[in-house]
Amino acid sequence: DIQMTQSPSSLSASVGDRVTITCRASQAISNYLNWYQQKPGKAPGLLIYGTVSLQSGVPSRFSGSGSGTDYSLTISGVQPEDFATYFCQQTYSSSWTFGQGTKLEIK
Amino acid sequence: EVKLVESGGDLVQPGRSLRLSCTPSGFTFGDYALSWVRQAPGKGLEWVGFIRRNGPGFGGTTEYAASLKGRFTISRDDSRSIAYLQINSLKTEDTAVYYCTRSRTYYPGSNSYYDDYWGQGTLVTVSS
C-alpha cells in the first residue's frame, strides 16, 4: 500500500492566520490526492480533489497544491468554522489510503 | 439532495458476522461507485474498499484494503439502489463507525476517484 504521511499531526492557529498542512506519499501519486475536513461527531466532507480542484461550496480560502509525492492544503485566513481535523487521501493505486490526520486547534 | 444512509451497525460478539447497508438517494445509483471507510473511536480514517459501477469498462468490480482483504465483502444491488458491506469473523479491532461514500471519477474514463458525499455512519461495536 502507498503510505500517506501528514504533518503536522496537530496545529494551533489564530483566526486570520494562514496555515499549511502537508501530505507526503511513499511513491508518486500523479496528483490523485484529495483533502477532507471532519468536525467532531460529524462525517468527513470533501474540500479538494485532484490536488487543486475545490469542491463546490467550499470557500476559496482553501487551496491545494503539489505534485509527485508532496502535497499541501493551505487555508488563507483561518475562520472559526475551520477548526477541525483534516485528512489527505490518495486514490492513485487500487488500494486507497488516508493520511493520519491533522487537527487544527485554536491558539 | 444527495444523501447516503448507513444501517445495520450493532453490538456483536467476536467471531460473528454482520452486514451493513448503504441506501443512497438523490442521484442515479447505478452511475456511481460506492466506498466504505471506517473510523475507530478517537482514530483516523481507514479505507475499507469500494465497488465500481456496473457496465462496460467498470464491471462492478471491487477493491479492498490489503490489510482487510478476506473478511470484508462489498456488493451492490442496482435494482434496489442499495450497497452492502459484509464483515465476517468480527474482531474487537473492527469496532468503528462505518461510513458509506459516493465515489466519483476525476473525469470520464478515469480509474481514479474521490468521495464527494458521505453518509452519517453506523456504529459497529465488537465485544463479548
Side-chain angles (χ1 to χ4, degrees):
Chain A
D1 283 1
I2 297 175
Q3 306 303 314
M4 304 301 292
T5 303
Q6 270 183 252
S7 61
S9 56
S10 64
L11 177 60
S12 295
S14 300
V15 172
D17 284 354
R18 175 186 172 96
V19 300
T20 297
I21 299 167
T22 63
C23 193
R24 173 165 288 177
S26 58
Q27 66 182 75
I29 55 172
S30 298
N31 292 97
Y32 292 121
L33 190 284
N34 310 313
W35 290 97
Y36 302 88
Q37 177 193 64
Q38 186 179 33
K39 296 182 179 179
K42 301 293 187 183
L46 176 68
L47 290 174
I48 288 172
Y49 61 95
T51 298
V52 299
S53 298
L54 206 61
Q55 172 67 349
S56 176
V58 174
S60 59
R61 61 181 179 273
F62 290 91
S63 63
S65 64
S67 63
T69 61
D70 295 323
Y71 299 84
S72 62
L73 171 72
T74 297
I75 311 173
S76 301
V78 172
Q79 297 300 300
E81 60 268 30
D82 300 336
F83 293 98
T85 301
Y86 295 85
F87 296 92
C88 62
Q89 176 202 42
Q90 68 80 21
T91 58
Y92 171 75
S93 72
S94 59
S95 183
W96 307 350
T97 44
F98 288 94
Q100 80 276 18
T102 295
K103 187 174 184 179
L104 176 59
E105 298 174 304
I106 301 173
K107 185 182 287 184
Chain B
E1 180 193 9
V2 172
K3 284 188 68 176
L4 300 104
V5 179
E6 303 92 338
S7 60
D10 203 353
L11 170 61
V12 294
Q13 294 180 324
R16 305 296 290 267
S17 297
L18 195 64
R19 188 176 78 166
L20 307 182
S21 301
C22 173
T23 307
S25 60
F27 63 97
T28 303
F29 178 79
D31 287 349
Y32 290 87
L34 275 293
S35 301
W36 289 91
V37 176
R38 71 180 185 178
Q39 187 170 36
K43 301 296 184 181
L45 302 175
E46 181 179 21
W47 181 73
V48 173
F50 88 117
I51 185 165
R52 295 178 179 85
R53 56 177 292 189
N54 286 307
F58 297 99
T61 53
T62 52
E63 305 287 350
Y64 299 95
S67 60
L68 302 178
K69 202 175 291 187
R71 296 192 298 117
F72 291 74
T73 303
I74 299 171
S75 59
R76 63 188 298 158
D77 183 341
D78 287 0
S79 67
R80 298 178 59 213
S81 295
I82 193 166
Y84 300 103
L85 174 65
Q86 175 79 30
I87 313 173
N88 296 328
S89 303
L90 278 155
K91 304 177 181 182
T92 55
E93 53 263 40
D94 294 323
T95 295
V97 174
Y98 286 74
Y99 296 102
C100 168
T101 80
R102 188 179 83 166
S103 299
R104 184 168 187 163
T105 54
Y106 285 106
Y107 51 84
S110 168
N111 197 32
S112 291
Y113 297 79
Y114 58 97
D115 298 320
D116 63 349
Y117 287 94
W118 295 60
Q120 85 290 347
T122 188
L123 177 62
V124 173
T125 303
V126 184
S127 175
S128 54

